[in-house]
Amino acid sequence: MKTIYFDHNATTPPAPEVFQGLSEWAQAWGNPSSIHQSGRGPKSLLRWSRTQISQMIGADPLEVVFTSGGSESNNLALKGVFYKLKNTERNHYLMSRIEHPSIMKTAQFLESQGAEVEYIEVNRDGVIDLEKFAAQVRPTTALVSVMLANNETGIILPIKKMSKIAHEKGALFHTDAVQALGKMLFSVKDLGVDLASFSGHKFYALKGAGALFVKRGTPLEPLLHGGGQERSRRAGTENILAIASFATTREKLNLLEAKILEMQVLRDELECQVLHRISGVSITGKNGKRLSNTSNMVLNQVDGETLLMNLDMDGICVSTGAACSSGSQEPSPALRAMGLTREEAQNSLRVSLGWNSTREDVLRFCDVLEKVVTRIRQFQPDHRNSQQVSL
Amino acid sequence: MKTIYFDHNATTPPAPEVFQGLSEWAQAWGNPSSIHQSGRGPKSLLRWSRTQISQMIGADPLEVVFTSGGSESNNLALKGVFYKLKNTERNHYLMSRIEHPSIMKTAQFLESQGAEVEYIEVNRDGVIDLEKFAAQVRPTTALVSVMLANNETGIILPIKKMSKIAHEKGALFHTDAVQALGKMLFSVKDLGVDLASFSGHKFYALKGAGALFVKRGTPLEPLLHGGGQERSRRAGTENILAIASFATTREKLNLLEAKILEMQVLRDELECQVLHRISGVSITGKNGKRLSNTSNMVLNQVDGETLLMNLDMDGICVSTGAACSSGSQEPSPALRAMGLTREEAQNSLRVSLGWNSTREDVLRFCDVLEKVVTRIRQFQPDHRNSQQVSL
């Protein structure tokens, strides 16, 4: 039985080009900081990678800081600004309520260090009230951090408008673009942001390499202090293997427009079939702008965790907003913040398609989902009572 | 011409087992946090790696926190303790003067955040006066951080005794063991430390994986906030590929005792030949306890940078304490702190052997070094004046 991997927002399989490059890149094992011959290969691979990635995101090469991944990029952006502006009058931070844990937990940490943190509401359709947002930005706001696309629902946030509003009051703007790369067309220059986070492994590269776009002149204290790597913005010997794999995916972006449409057709068919064949389903964020690969649905009376494990037995990999699966006691805070009840979040399912997903996969997924949901609902207390099913 | 790589303290070539494992480990690309099938392979590889590495260093598996490398481990240790103890009476930090930049720069950062930082002197033989050290530890000392072995000179510091002294006054003890792993026999339990930093790529693994030993119960705020990975001590999707390569090197440790001796014989022959054949050479830290692979020498009237480039042209890779090569304006702060003059530090050369270094390499190195040093000295102003050499 072929495994159907519909969890591309969690991570992606490395592209064939990445597997092909492994050995060659690992051969460039020298330390890029060495000035003898063994450092030259890695150094030029690093320079090439920086150019590739800067072109992927629409930045200048020197505005790219390599990190170990998206979580580090997010931590660096927030803490980097905080420690630089700490002793100025700008001490107010604004984030949306649906940010990734690496933003949310960092915001809580900044609060413990004396920052004033406030949150921007996002409604059930994934919409932010821009007037309300504008009123939240203060003359003391240091940084606004709002993700470009949400990992759980795929909703796309109006970063260009928001960064303009923030800048009008002199605040900096960071966007977590980890989920956006390779799933929508954008450039950091066009968005007008000062900082933007990226991760290689969410777009068919290896784990271990991420990037932070740092617009020229943006105040930023390093998160990793030490050697002079990355122009003293991030210490530590560079992970050339993962960085080169990240850079290699740039070629794939030429196909992006076509792939966005392809995934949209599949995702829409998937949602259409599910809504048609299974009762008590609603799609979260359906009325808003969404990434074309993501679908987040609430299946009434179907515990996400149970569903996930049942689908897994049928060879289907998906995600859920249910508690435990995320290692936490509570179901998805982001879904709850959008107005879903605890039960709805617990009954939510995330499907995220990839560039190799096929119509066949979608159809088999719908068949299996229908079967599994029917079975789970039969064993629900409500059903048992009404249908007298004995266990 | 075969390249002679004598710069193993900067980085090491991945072991053959690492090259062999690349493709298999990259196949385990699932997210270890996923509870479906694609997460299970990576998760068990992660568990296996944690056990391997805990055995390498003499710790329990749950005391191992994976990081992106040595610099991150050092940053996590110092900042992790600082943020946890910030509002207690323990706000005093002690480090040796010869620590790696990832400790020194972090210490400066902590100072800017209100910590009181003091330094422990190390003399030219690499010796710390333990009585003087004991007097430096205060009832308010939060953490002492001293490296197990120095990257530039190879000198080994008396961590077991020092951690005992620190603990007597209730201070925590961290050791940067990055250069010690695979070069000397030790265990964190025996050293009695609370925290210890490691890096995979200094011991024949890939770049991108390091570890921090965190003794059970040690107060530690995460450096990367976010997901619950590493028992909420380090957020971010795990870099399984690099972590597995790190774990694979454990097998090599069975050969450690033999390799230590082998390298010592080679290093001693190298030093003996150099001292015999070239005048005006002194070995830094020769009277102290040193790693058996490292030799740091001062060659009078020979600029380290010029020497390095000349050796490079002859296919020999080494390191120097000279300015610029390290990307800084000043020659090695660690050598200067040990009492070398600016000129001595500028004229210093570091040779660091590896497990594959041979006697043949050593002999060719000595031949080339003699030739190059003679040539460089001929063009020195002093020589020109005395020998009337025209250019």
Side-chain angles (χ1 to χ4, degrees):
Chain A
M1 184 175 62
K2 183 196 156 198
T3 297
I4 296 178
Y5 186 77
F6 276 1
D7 202 11
H8 289 84
N9 289 8
T11 191
T12 56
E17 311 85 272
V18 170
F19 277 100
Q20 279 155 30
L22 280 179
S23 180
E24 186 196 321
W25 299 322
Q27 293 286 355
W29 54 262
N31 192 325
S33 299
S34 295
I35 59 173
H36 51 63
Q37 54 180 286
S38 96
R40 286 196 278 273
K43 196 181 285 173
S44 79
L45 207 43
L46 186 63
R47 194 177 300 126
W48 171 80
S49 299
R50 197 181 304 283
T51 305
Q52 294 292 106
I53 287 166
S54 69
Q55 290 171 352
M56 268 173 109
I57 65 173
D60 291 329
L62 294 180
E63 294 175 323
V64 172
V65 176
F66 287 117
T67 66
S68 67
S71 288
E72 187 186 326
S73 296
N74 281 340
N75 274 263
L76 172 55
L78 269 57
K79 294 175 186 168
V81 168
F82 173 72
Y83 288 114
K84 269 290 192 225
L85 300 187
K86 215 183 154 191
N87 298 318
T88 70
E89 77 281 11
R90 291 199 180 259
N91 191 38
H92 177 246
Y93 291 78
L94 272 173
M95 353 249 135
S96 89
R97 283 214 186 273
I98 61 168
E99 297 298 307
H100 187 265
S102 56
I103 294 289
M104 293 310 234
K105 293 274 173 72
T106 300
Q108 286 166 19
F109 173 74
L110 295 189
E111 216 167 358
S112 77
Q113 302 303 310
E116 195 176 348
V117 180
E118 227 182 306
Y119 296 92
I120 304 157
E121 302 295 334
V122 181
N123 77 9
R124 197 161 176 139
D125 291 328
V127 174
I128 286 176
D129 181 332
L130 291 180
E131 262 181 56
K132 228 168 138 186
F133 163 66
Q136 283 187 289
V137 186
R138 308 178 192 168
T140 57
T141 303
L143 179 74
V144 178
S145 181
V146 179
M147 66 208 319
L148 183 48
N150 178 261
N151 48 317
E152 295 183 66
T153 57
I155 60 169
I156 296 168
L157 297 162
I159 300 307
K160 191 172 176 173
K161 287 180 188 160
M162 293 181 84
S163 70
K164 196 159 172 273
I165 292 168
H167 286 154
E168 277 162 10
K169 296 214 184 136
L172 295 166
F173 201 97
H174 166 252
T175 190
D176 173 357
V178 164
Q179 289 296 339
L181 188 70
K183 295 180 190 137
M184 61 183 275
L185 295 158
F186 69 92
S187 90
V188 292
K189 288 273 139 74
D190 178 59
L191 294 173
V193 296
D194 304 287
L195 299 146
S197 300
F198 301 93
S199 166
H201 80 93
K202 304 281 186 188
F203 187 54
Y204 308 99
L206 296 174
K207 285 155 193 69
L212 183 68
F213 161 73
V214 184
K215 192 176 160 182
R216 207 176 300 266
T218 305
L220 195 79
E221 177 75 22
L223 179 64
L224 301 193
H225 291 91
Q229 291 94 347
E230 300 294 311
R231 303 200 150 209
S232 295
R233 290 169 298 182
R234 199 274 187 184
T237 305
E238 301 87 342
N239 182 354
I240 297 291
L241 174 59
I243 289 171
S245 80
F246 187 7
T248 297
T249 63
R250 192 213 152 185
E251 290 299 307
K252 294 178 81 74
L253 280 193
N254 300 332
L255 302 171
L256 183 57
E257 267 183 284
K259 285 291 177 183
I260 289 172
L261 281 174
E262 218 178 84
M263 287 192 291
Q264 176 143 14
V265 169
L266 293 178
R267 197 267 317 266
D268 289 353
E269 169 149 21
L270 185 149
E271 291 186 342
C272 184
Q273 288 236 10
V274 168
L275 290 169
H276 185 75
R277 290 160 67 173
I278 307 176
S279 64
V281 177
S282 64
I283 313 285
T284 304
K286 196 171 169 49
N287 299 322
K289 217 173 146 192
R290 281 186 298 161
L291 294 177
S292 75
N293 80 314
T294 308
S295 180
N296 197 307
M297 42 186 93
V298 177
L299 296 129
N300 298 340
Q301 290 183 298
V302 179
D303 176 67
E305 193 99 356
T306 312
L307 178 60
L308 194 152
M309 288 189 278
N310 274 275
L311 291 174
D312 186 34
M313 284 190 281
D314 273 305
I316 294 171
C317 300
V318 292
S319 230
T320 167
C324 297
S325 68
S326 54
S328 69
Q329 298 291 313
E330 286 296 311
S332 165
L335 294 177
R336 296 280 284 115
M338 287 173 72
L340 273 69
T341 64
R342 203 176 178 288
E343 197 187 348
E344 284 174 320
Q346 186 67 24
N347 293 348
S348 75
L349 169 72
R350 180 184 74 185
V351 176
S352 49
L353 308 179
W355 284 28
N356 294 321
S357 301
T358 64
R359 183 155 189 267
E360 210 189 333
D361 295 341
V362 167
L363 296 180
R364 196 178 113 214
F365 169 80
C366 293
D367 288 345
V368 173
L369 185 69
E370 187 181 13
K371 186 188 74 181
V372 168
V373 165
T374 306
R375 193 169 59 211
I376 294 175
R377 282 180 177 168
Q378 270 174 358
F379 292 102
Q380 289 292 312
D382 294 6
H383 262 266
R384 281 210 300 276
N385 292 344
S386 60
Q387 299 182 11
Q388 311 275 331
V389 177
S390 64
L391 286 174
Chain B
M1 184 175 60
K2 184 197 156 198
T3 297
I4 296 179
Y5 186 77
F6 276 0
D7 202 11
H8 289 84
N9 289 8
T11 190
T12 55
E17 311 84 272
V18 169
F19 277 100
Q20 278 154 30
L22 280 179
S23 180
E24 186 196 322
W25 299 323
Q27 293 286 354
W29 54 263
N31 192 324
S33 299
S34 296
I35 58 173
H36 50 63
Q37 54 181 286
S38 95
R40 286 195 280 273
K43 195 183 286 172
S44 77
L45 206 44
L46 186 63
R47 195 176 300 126
W48 171 80
S49 300
R50 198 181 303 282
T51 304
Q52 294 291 106
I53 287 165
S54 68
Q55 289 170 354
M56 270 173 109
I57 64 173
D60 291 328
L62 295 180
E63 294 174 323
V64 172
V65 175
F66 287 118
T67 67
S68 66
S71 288
E72 187 186 326
S73 296
N74 281 341
N75 274 264
L76 173 55
L78 268 57
K79 295 175 186 167
V81 168
F82 173 74
Y83 288 114
K84 268 292 193 227
L85 301 188
K86 213 180 157 193
N87 298 319
T88 71
E89 78 281 11
R90 291 199 179 261
N91 192 37
H92 176 246
Y93 290 77
L94 271 174
M95 354 248 134
S96 90
R97 282 214 187 274
I98 60 167
E99 297 297 308
H100 186 265
S102 56
I103 293 288
M104 292 311 235
K105 294 275 173 70
T106 300
Q108 287 166 18
F109 174 73
L110 295 189
E111 216 166 0
S112 77
Q113 301 303 309
E116 197 178 343
V117 180
E118 227 183 304
Y119 296 92
I120 304 157
E121 303 296 335
V122 181
N123 78 9
R124 197 164 176 138
D125 290 327
V127 174
I128 288 177
D129 181 331
L130 292 180
E131 263 181 57
K132 226 167 142 188
F133 164 64
Q136 284 187 289
V137 186
R138 307 179 192 169
T140 57
T141 303
L143 179 75
V144 178
S145 181
V146 179
M147 66 208 322
L148 183 48
N150 179 261
N151 48 315
E152 293 183 66
T153 57
I155 60 167
I156 295 170
L157 297 161
I159 300 309
K160 192 171 175 174
K161 287 179 189 161
M162 295 182 82
S163 71
K164 197 159 169 272
I165 293 169
H167 286 155
E168 276 163 11
K169 296 216 184 132
L172 294 166
F173 201 98
H174 167 253
T175 190
D176 172 357
V178 164
Q179 290 296 340
L181 189 70
K183 293 180 191 140
M184 61 182 274
L185 294 158
F186 69 92
S187 91
V188 292
K189 287 274 138 76
D190 178 59
L191 294 173
V193 297
D194 305 288
L195 298 146
S197 299
F198 301 93
S199 166
H201 80 93
K202 303 282 185 188
F203 187 54
Y204 308 99
L206 297 174
K207 287 158 192 68
L212 182 67
F213 161 72
V214 184
K215 191 176 160 184
R216 208 177 299 268
T218 305
L220 194 80
E221 178 74 23
L223 179 66
L224 302 192
H225 291 91
Q229 292 93 346
E230 299 294 311
R231 302 200 150 207
S232 294
R233 290 170 297 183
R234 200 273 185 183
T237 304
E238 301 88 342
N239 182 353
I240 296 292
L241 174 58
I243 290 171
S245 80
F246 188 7
T248 297
T249 63
R250 192 213 152 187
E251 290 300 308
K252 294 178 83 73
L253 279 194
N254 300 332
L255 301 171
L256 183 55
E257 267 184 284
K259 286 290 178 185
I260 289 173
L261 282 175
E262 218 178 85
M263 288 192 291
Q264 176 143 13
V265 170
L266 293 178
R267 197 266 319 266
D268 289 352
E269 168 147 22
L270 187 148
E271 291 186 345
C272 184
Q273 290 237 9
V274 169
L275 289 170
H276 185 75
R277 291 161 65 172
I278 308 175
S279 63
V281 177
S282 63
I283 312 286
T284 304
K286 196 172 168 48
N287 300 321
K289 216 172 146 193
R290 282 186 299 161
L291 293 178
S292 75
N293 80 313
T294 308
S295 180
N296 197 307
M297 41 186 95
V298 177
L299 296 130
N300 297 342
Q301 292 183 298
V302 179
D303 176 67
E305 192 98 355
T306 311
L307 178 60
L308 193 153
M309 288 189 279
N310 274 275
L311 291 175
D312 187 34
M313 283 190 284
D314 273 304
I316 293 171
C317 301
V318 292
S319 229
T320 167
C324 296
S325 69
S326 55
S328 69
Q329 297 291 313
E330 286 297 311
S332 165
L335 293 178
R336 296 281 283 115
M338 286 173 71
L340 274 71
T341 64
R342 204 176 177 288
E343 197 187 349
E344 284 174 320
Q346 186 68 24
N347 293 350
S348 75
L349 168 72
R350 180 184 74 184
V351 176
S352 49
L353 309 179
W355 285 28
N356 293 321
S357 300
T358 63
R359 182 153 190 267
E360 209 189 333
D361 294 342
V362 167
L363 297 179
R364 197 177 112 212
F365 169 79
C366 293
D367 288 345
V368 173
L369 185 70
E370 187 181 11
K371 186 188 76 182
V372 168
V373 166
T374 307
R375 192 168 60 211
I376 294 175
R377 283 182 176 164
Q378 271 175 357
F379 291 103
Q380 287 294 313
D382 294 4
H383 264 266
R384 280 211 301 277
N385 292 343
S386 60
Q387 299 183 9
Q388 310 276 333
V389 177
S390 64
L391 286 172

